[in-house]
Amino acid sequence: MEKGLLQKNKILGINILYIVSILPLIIFAFYKNGLMVYNNGETTMFLAFQYLIIPIIIIVLSYVFEIYYYLIIKKDSDCHNVVNSLAPYVNALCYLVCGPRDFLWVTIPLIIMFDILLKFIDNKWSINQIALFKCVLVALLAITGFYNNANLYELNNNLNPSLFDYFIGRSVGCIGTTSVLCCLIGYVVLLFNKYYKKEIPLLAILGYSIVAIIIYFVGGLSFTNLLIKTFKSGFIFAAIYVAPLSMATPVVKSGRIIYSLLIGMICAILVNIANFYMGIYIVILISSFLVPLFNKFKLSVS
Amino acid sequence: MKLTYKFNNDEKNLEINKEEYLAPENIIVYIREGDTVYVKNGDYVYINQLIKEASNGIKSYATVSGTVEMNEEEGIIKVVNDKTNSAFVSEEALDDISEVKKEVILEMCENLGIDYENKLIVNKLKNKSKVLIINAIDVEPYQFNNNYLFQDNVTGLLETTNLLAKRFNIDAHLILSKYDDNNVAAVREIIAKYNDINFKVIPDVFPYTTNQCIARKYFNAYKYDDILFLDTFALYKIYMALKEGLPVADRYITICFGEATKVYVVKTKYGANLGELIKNSLSESIENKDIYLNNFMRRVKCDNLESLVVSDNTKTIFIFDKQDIKASKCIKCGKCVDICPVEINPLAKVLDSACIRCGLCSYVCPANINLLSKEK
């Protein structure tokens, strides 16, 4: 007999789609930062494969911690909360926003600790975990003077990527955020996830495009230049993966529209005028704090 | 009967089986404090004989003929069916109801004290509602009682609507589901005779066929309180009161296994035991099943079907395999807000008074949270 939809483990399905959506990014990160560097003789086989091993370790460790948190600390009698947790997906995304040479193995405990810390406060605050992680990481690296987004191959070779290279992702940037193509493939996968807020990336890109067009006409930046800056800044990755993070986005449709357009517009200014690519994460982080405010933009009931 | 049914954007082709359970072994009437009981232990009662009257005027009638067994300690009046179907016949039965006067309509509705709903109807008619809407669509999910009731009594129901419109000088609108092909065709054939009725077909998409949603979408020029909504069953009760001078003894209930894997519409008697009804008319076991009354999405489980009898509030019975519904942490996906037909935020700690308790928010929740519950 049909059980109905009351107790189909829907979040497990959502989690699988989320993880599948980042697989192209992880594979491309392994190719760009691992294989390409290894082929040029600038790293060892083990270090090349770390780009594949580390995200797997992060996902597994995230589940281990979820088990500890729910079964031991929260004393849940079963593990449905563990199975349903979005932490592995979020933590894997945190890994993808790290720089390719940022003490990669150290990021594992850092990401997990971050997750633990936020678990105890996220009921009270609406925080975009990925954006916050990125801001903290960059601040730490900037203070210590280690902040650099180029991998060994990019560091040792003077590359001049074309627009197509930027689109494919063969350019300097975080581990998994450079490839617009992979992000778009991921977005297509996410479209099958009915709990993913798919309008947020579209509206953020729309808001971004409106401002970019104004800059094109008023500021005199060429169309190619605008596209290169957009691809280079990782805005597409942020719009598809970071901004729609369900825990830190408005639940009300009108709130979501304003949230997305605002992020897109401000990001366009920061990227194209101020050349401040890190600003994307700061904007998303600040917007996530304002989510309770965005949730107030709702249609009134007569 | 085969029909197309849309629910939560899914379109299903359903096959609905019609069954009857009109000769239950006994019927039960519960006695509550303040009720006036008109029968005593050992009495013989006929169908349509008054058994008790509640303090609010609601009257309960025998729906089978037989001997009364009273258990005052448990507050139960049981009528053991002798299966002779001996019934009272009213002297006030009419062949043609088209000439019935306004006062008679009010008096019949009031005197029969059919149910609480009819009390409201009488008050609304007296208070001059501006518009009468016959909502002939079953408003709960996977419910098909009105389809059959309407099909059985098309002419009588249209006559009654027309009469109410004329006598109370009120705009009458008949709302039918556009997927209800048989009834739509039947009404189209004869509606020209009833020129006081405006006929409208709308998509039957739960919960947009609830009175609140219909009022908001199609009749927003009127205040909600100025509208008198009647469902098919309430209208049928008025029709029976005018035509036969009698209360209604039997009704349709829908029995749904899973989410419409198997659907039965059973015609049965008021007061019949629901457990017996399922066992005898459908030959299905209800052991180890989860049972929900009327709307499974509200997640109010019925622990013991054996203790329930058919009443005005018994419209649909959902029978699911036993399942332990565990809620997990909210992922704030916003689906509950997106789907809410009255555009409120079900995640709010205190539910807005505009909530129609349709339960769709809980239904779409991937974390299985019961958003209608206070402990969310």
Side-chain angles (χ1 to χ4, degrees):
Chain A
M1 185 187 295
E2 187 188 342
K3 267 194 164 186
L5 295 178
L6 279 172
Q7 184 61 353
K8 282 179 184 163
N9 201 338
K10 295 176 224 170
I11 294 189
L12 180 61
I14 299 170
N15 273 344
I16 291 166
L17 276 174
Y18 272 136
I19 302 281
V20 169
S21 76
I22 55 170
L23 288 182
L25 299 175
I26 292 172
I27 292 164
F28 185 79
F30 166 60
Y31 160 74
K32 183 178 94 92
N33 302 306
L35 282 187
M36 261 174 65
V37 180
Y38 174 74
N39 284 343
N40 282 285
E42 282 157 349
T43 189
T44 60
M45 181 64 108
F46 172 74
L47 288 178
F49 268 90
Q50 68 177 346
Y51 293 95
L52 212 55
I53 298 164
I54 291 174
I56 295 169
I57 293 175
I58 288 174
I59 291 172
V60 171
L61 274 180
S62 303
Y63 273 119
V64 170
F65 174 68
E66 292 300 292
I67 292 168
Y68 176 74
Y69 179 75
Y70 284 110
L71 299 191
I72 315 284
I73 299 177
K74 288 270 175 184
K75 294 190 170 55
D76 268 3
S77 56
D78 60 39
C79 55
H80 68 281
N81 266 316
V82 177
V83 176
N84 292 344
S85 169
L86 290 179
Y89 167 71
V90 174
N91 290 346
L93 282 173
C94 286
Y95 156 76
L96 290 174
V97 298
C98 294
R101 295 181 302 117
D102 291 348
F103 308 100
L104 277 181
W105 291 89
V106 181
T107 56
I108 300 174
L110 197 66
I111 289 170
I112 301 296
M113 272 167 57
F114 217 79
D115 185 36
I116 294 169
L117 194 71
L118 285 181
K119 235 180 197 65
F120 291 101
I121 57 168
D122 74 347
N123 282 338
K124 291 168 196 154
W125 298 87
S126 167
I127 302 171
N128 191 310
Q129 191 174 330
I130 306 161
L132 182 62
F133 176 79
K134 175 74 180 174
C135 292
V136 171
L137 184 78
V138 170
L140 283 175
L141 290 169
I143 291 165
T144 50
F146 286 106
Y147 182 57
N148 195 323
N149 271 345
N151 63 32
L152 277 171
Y153 174 68
E154 290 157 346
L155 203 66
N156 298 332
N157 297 279
N158 195 13
L159 302 171
N160 191 14
S162 63
L163 179 62
F164 182 71
D165 285 329
Y166 278 115
F167 179 72
I168 296 292
R170 288 191 298 241
S171 60
V172 174
C174 303
I175 296 175
T177 64
T178 54
S179 175
V180 176
L181 178 68
C182 289
C183 289
L184 294 177
I185 294 169
Y187 184 66
V188 172
V189 174
L190 288 169
L191 288 179
F192 291 96
N193 181 341
K194 60 179 178 175
Y195 298 101
Y196 169 70
K197 292 168 182 168
K198 39 187 89 70
E199 70 277 21
I200 290 180
L202 292 179
L203 288 165
I205 291 170
L206 177 74
Y208 184 97
S209 308
I210 292 167
V211 175
I213 289 166
I214 295 169
I215 293 169
Y216 173 76
F217 283 112
V218 179
L221 268 179
S222 74
F223 186 67
T224 317
N225 219 338
L226 280 170
L227 273 181
I228 287 177
K229 283 188 167 198
T230 308
F231 295 167
K232 205 172 150 185
S233 63
F235 171 73
I236 304 294
F237 171 85
I240 292 174
Y241 291 98
V242 186
L245 197 65
S246 71
M247 296 302 286
T249 44
V251 290
V252 175
K253 201 173 251 172
S254 32
R256 283 207 294 270
I257 294 170
I258 298 164
Y259 165 88
S260 329
L261 287 173
L262 207 66
I263 285 177
M265 288 170 150
I266 298 172
C267 285
I269 295 168
L270 292 173
V271 167
N272 297 304
I273 297 175
N275 282 326
F276 181 43
Y277 301 162
M278 186 51 214
I280 293 172
Y281 292 93
I282 296 172
V283 170
I284 293 174
L285 181 64
I286 294 170
S287 305
S288 74
F289 285 125
L290 299 177
V291 161
L293 198 70
F294 289 118
N295 276 336
K296 288 186 179 157
F297 291 102
K298 70 181 184 101
L299 297 170
S300 59
V301 180
S302 56
Chain B
M1 181 171 74
K2 283 183 181 173
L3 61 78
T4 310
Y5 190 73
K6 275 189 184 169
F7 181 72
N8 193 29
N9 296 328
D10 289 336
E11 193 171 292
K12 288 185 182 179
N13 290 316
L14 302 180
E15 188 162 354
I16 301 160
N17 307 294
K18 192 180 173 188
E19 302 286 342
E20 281 189 349
Y21 183 62
L22 293 170
E25 291 305 315
N26 48 62
I27 60 139
I28 304 283
V29 175
Y30 289 105
I31 315 168
R32 292 187 178 84
E33 221 179 291
D35 288 357
T36 313
V37 179
Y38 296 102
V39 290
K40 55 182 190 299
N41 205 14
D43 277 0
Y44 185 86
V45 289
Y46 296 92
I47 297 174
N48 302 327
Q49 185 173 333
L50 184 62
I51 289 185
K52 70 144 203 186
E53 184 173 350
S55 51
N56 57 7
I58 300 169
K59 294 173 181 173
S60 302
Y61 298 84
T63 55
V64 296
S65 58
T67 319
V68 173
E69 282 180 10
M70 283 191 63
N71 186 336
E72 279 177 42
E73 267 178 30
E74 287 180 25
I76 289 172
I77 304 171
K78 188 195 266 186
V79 179
V80 182
N81 190 0
D82 66 356
K83 302 195 177 165
T84 58
N85 285 331
S86 312
F88 271 156
V89 182
S90 171
E91 289 167 4
E92 290 168 63
L94 296 170
D95 284 337
D96 180 15
I97 61 165
S98 62
E99 298 305 317
V100 177
K101 287 187 180 145
K102 186 176 167 178
E103 295 72 30
V104 179
I105 298 173
L106 289 173
E107 196 189 324
M108 287 302 279
C109 289
E110 212 156 9
N111 284 355
L112 279 169
I114 297 163
D115 61 9
Y116 181 64
E117 204 176 0
N118 273 21
K119 281 264 177 196
L120 285 183
I121 294 163
V122 172
N123 285 338
K124 280 217 165 188
L125 285 172
K126 277 182 182 169
N127 293 333
K128 293 187 182 162
S129 292
K130 288 178 182 150
V131 60
L132 165 69
I133 299 171
I134 309 297
N135 184 3
I137 306 172
D138 287 282
V139 293
E140 302 283 23
Y142 300 111
Q143 195 181 87
F144 305 98
N145 307 337
N146 286 345
N147 291 57
Y148 282 100
L149 189 65
F150 203 91
Q151 216 166 346
D152 294 349
N153 305 284
V154 183
T155 317
L157 293 175
L158 290 182
E159 266 176 26
T160 314
T161 309
N162 209 45
L163 178 73
L164 291 174
K166 263 189 192 159
R167 293 291 173 266
F168 294 94
N169 198 17
I170 191 171
D171 276 346
H173 298 263
L174 169 67
I175 313 272
L176 270 180
S177 158
K178 75 171 182 187
Y179 310 125
D180 188 0
D181 298 335
N182 294 339
N183 284 329
V184 171
V187 171
R188 287 226 159 99
E189 215 170 274
I190 55 171
I191 192 78
K193 277 197 263 173
Y194 306 99
N195 46 18
D196 285 312
I197 305 175
N198 302 296
F199 175 44
K200 197 179 190 76
V201 287
I202 63 167
D204 178 4
V205 182
F206 177 82
Y208 296 94
T209 51
T210 52
N211 294 344
Q212 291 91 332
C213 291
I214 287 178
R216 279 185 75 193
K217 192 165 181 189
Y218 303 101
F219 299 93
N220 53 11
Y222 299 95
K223 279 185 194 166
Y224 187 73
D225 287 342
D226 288 339
I227 304 173
L228 168 57
F229 275 99
L230 289 182
D231 66 6
T232 312
F233 196 57
L235 186 67
Y236 176 65
K237 282 178 176 174
I238 298 173
Y239 167 65
M240 285 297 283
L242 300 176
K243 176 95 178 155
E244 309 287 344
L246 292 171
V248 173
D250 37 52
R251 63 164 304 152
Y252 284 110
I253 58 170
T254 305
I255 298 167
C256 216
F257 287 86
E259 267 190 75
T261 312
K262 282 191 223 166
V263 186
Y264 298 91
V265 176
V266 185
K267 192 176 189 180
T268 187
K269 296 276 184 187
Y270 271 100
N273 182 290
L274 284 171
E276 298 285 314
L277 181 148
I278 290 168
K279 264 183 226 161
N280 295 329
S281 65
L282 309 181
S283 316
E284 298 270 3
S285 164
I286 49 168
E287 269 175 40
N288 255 333
K289 303 281 183 194
D290 277 340
I291 290 155
Y292 299 87
L293 275 184
N294 299 338
N295 181 345
F296 65 97
M297 292 181 295
R298 288 189 202 119
R299 300 200 193 161
V300 181
K301 265 190 210 172
C302 161
D303 292 331
N304 184 10
L305 205 56
E306 306 283 341
S307 66
L308 279 181
V309 297
V310 177
S311 68
D312 270 324
N313 198 31
T314 322
K315 292 168 184 167
T316 318
I317 299 166
F318 285 95
I319 301 166
F320 287 93
D321 285 345
K322 220 165 188 59
Q323 48 193 317
D324 193 12
I325 301 171
K326 288 255 165 67
S328 46
K329 219 175 118 191
C330 174
I331 58 163
K332 293 183 186 161
C333 63
K335 282 283 152 188
C336 53
V337 184
D338 289 350
I339 205 161
C340 180
V342 287
E343 291 159 10
I344 58 170
N345 183 356
L347 290 167
K349 276 185 183 158
V350 180
L351 270 184
D352 197 300
S353 58
C355 176
I356 56 170
R357 301 191 72 77
C358 63
L360 268 180
C361 48
S362 309
Y363 182 76
V364 295
C365 177
N368 278 328
I369 299 166
N370 186 357
L371 290 154
L372 293 178
S373 145
K374 283 176 188 167
E375 298 149 9
K376 57 189 173 192

